[in-house]
Amino acid sequence: MKIRRSSRLVGMTHYLLQHPQQLVSLTFFSELYDSAKSSVSEDLAIIKQTFEQQGIGSLQTIPGAAGGVKYIPGISLEEANRVIDELCILISKPDRVLPGGYLYMTDILSNPNYVNSVGRIFASIFNKKKVDIVVTVATKGIPLAYAVANYLNIPVVIVRHDNKVTEGSTVSINYVSGSTKRIQTMTLAKRSIEPGANVLIIDDFMKAGGTVAGMQNLLKEFQANVAGIGVLVEALNAEERLVEDYVSLIKLSEVNEKEQLISVEKGKFTEDLLS
Amino acid sequence: MKIRRSSRLVGMTHYLLQHPQQLVSLTFFSELYDSAKSSVSEDLAIIKQTFEQQGIGSLQTIPGAAGGVKYIPGISLEEANRVIDELCILISKPDRVLPGGYLYMTDILSNPNYVNSVGRIFASIFNKKKVDIVVTVATKGIPLAYAVANYLNIPVVIVRHDNKVTEGSTVSINYVSGSTKRIQTMTLAKRSIEPGANVLIIDDFMKAGGTVAGMQNLLKEFQANVAGIGVLVEALNAEERLVEDYVSLIKLSEVNEKEQLISVEKGKFTEDLLS
């Protein structure tokens, strides 16, 4: 076995994983490793096969002079189910019940392993749609939004509840929180989104959906299109749902404060993941 | 060339990159790929050599029955300098000057590529120290903190300025912002940090250092040790510096609002990166 090819395989695998959704030309790899394009082509065939067999994602080959190869991150249904099952067990621990029937999830959202796995699931679901930006609201949704954006190779825009001087001029709207019925404000920097942008909304938790509905209204002010909505946990017992057409990975059917009981079930994402 | 080895190389490279700072036993790989330990050992030698040659990081080998291999992410000085030079050029664009002499950096912190590269630089600097947790303050520092934590494989804890019910019981302190001299509050969930934890503080911007000094005081309440402080951009013209012993990647020597002029220079991180 020539050491050259094995070293190229390791280097190219690393490069592709670090540059998801980016077209890399054969010429680039051929010059980087001082190797014939035919050898690089053979390497890519091996990487493609391994990525697809092991559920790492797929490798798209674009033929022609302007062509090359593009790594599309993915996750197998098996691994997605394993991650969500594990999260369901974690979330249903009774010591997560907080006063008011809220749920402590900070430790889960603190863990880069869980955050990345959830990001990979959402990226696999939404990478079939044209998405230019991931939008989330401060604070808890931020790590998930970056994890998704990382795999889709697009920027993140953060909607805030306050108004910071470091944002420059901003657009604000008032909205009513679906569950607490309080009037709140959301703010987004004017230069953060271009008109016509396709936006993926990501959040950690949805009760009645007031916050997500507020984001949809705010995005209208920017003439942006909402291409998809993904939430990690959805509370099922909300009286009235203000949002339609979203994907939730975990459904929370009960938080009983008195008896410290939490019931969760897996969301119906299989179809979205495989489609 | 046997297809087995090449496929193993691709799969193992992916696995190691996804599990930084984690000890993986030879037995694990040997069972995963149904291959002899001696073959796995040879594969790992190839991966190690490639990782080190290409500045991807290093592969530590721990011998013995409980041993295995651990991927330590790294960045070459050359690549770190390339990233920071690029950021310096981006940051010095005159349209970033905001009223009050503040700087618009949201677009840079929105870009997962820049965020990851900065995360890799900080991880390479601080992975020689024992760090258990990355701590940052909401909102702008969050993506950088997660990027660093990702490479160090440790959780992130977020200090907040408000007090959310979803945090459970909290500890708060008041502090004086170094540059605006206003009294502000910082809050951290009680169950987020264990006594004796070694903490790495990461933030996007430091002026006089009031916020970082506040975090240091808050962490004292948790009996945590500050193992390191990393800020992406530091303003040089602050009258009084409230923090010592930090690493900054970029130094901002001037923001002239009237003439829309921004002067930046590269921070002195070479020694920290190579030590």
Side-chain angles (χ1 to χ4, degrees), chain A residues 109-110 116 140 146 150 167, chain B residues 109 116 140 146 150 167:
Chain A
L109 296 171
S110 295
N116 280 336
K140 292 219 195 303
Y146 270 87
N150 222 337
E167 295 290 339
Chain B
L109 297 171
N116 281 336
K140 291 219 197 302
Y146 271 86
N150 221 338
E167 295 289 340

Side-chain angles (χ1 to χ4, degrees), chain A residues 24-91:
Chain A
V24 188
S25 70
L26 253 63
T27 314
F28 173 82
F29 280 134
S30 147
E31 285 173 0
L32 187 63
Y33 296 108
D34 193 16
S35 306
K37 277 192 189 177
S38 56
S39 309
V40 167
S41 240
E42 284 168 35
D43 298 343
L44 289 170
I46 296 167
I47 295 174
K48 180 183 167 74
Q49 201 195 17
T50 311
F51 275 20
E52 286 167 8
Q53 269 172 3
Q54 303 191 3
I56 298 170
S58 63
L59 223 58
Q60 274 183 6
T61 320
I62 289 104
V69 71
K70 198 193 266 188
Y71 161 54
I72 315 287
I75 193 165
S76 64
L77 182 60
E78 192 192 342
E79 199 181 338
N81 277 320
R82 197 185 50 70
V83 170
I84 299 304
D85 285 338
E86 198 179 323
L87 285 177
C88 282
I89 293 171
L90 262 177
I91 287 177

Side-chain angles (χ1 to χ4, degrees), chain B residues 15-16 19 22-29 44 67-70:
Chain B
Y15 190 91
L16 290 167
H19 298 84
Q22 284 174 59
L23 187 67
V24 187
S25 70
L26 252 63
T27 314
F28 173 82
F29 280 135
L44 289 170
V69 71
K70 198 193 265 187

Side-chain angles (χ1 to χ4, degrees), chain A residues 130-185:
Chain A
K130 192 175 158 16
V131 182
D132 307 309
I133 300 176
V134 176
V135 171
T136 192
V137 68
T139 315
K140 292 219 195 303
I142 298 175
L144 291 179
Y146 270 87
V148 179
N150 222 337
Y151 287 111
L152 295 176
N153 189 37
I154 54 178
V156 177
V157 164
I158 300 167
V159 174
R160 307 176 60 117
H161 290 296
D162 54 359
N163 204 333
K164 284 275 261 191
V165 63
T166 47
E167 295 290 339
S169 51
T170 56
V171 176
S172 293
I173 61 153
N174 294 315
Y175 72 103
V176 179
S177 153
S179 38
T180 63
K181 307 286 182 205
R182 274 190 310 146
I183 294 180
Q184 293 188 276
T185 304

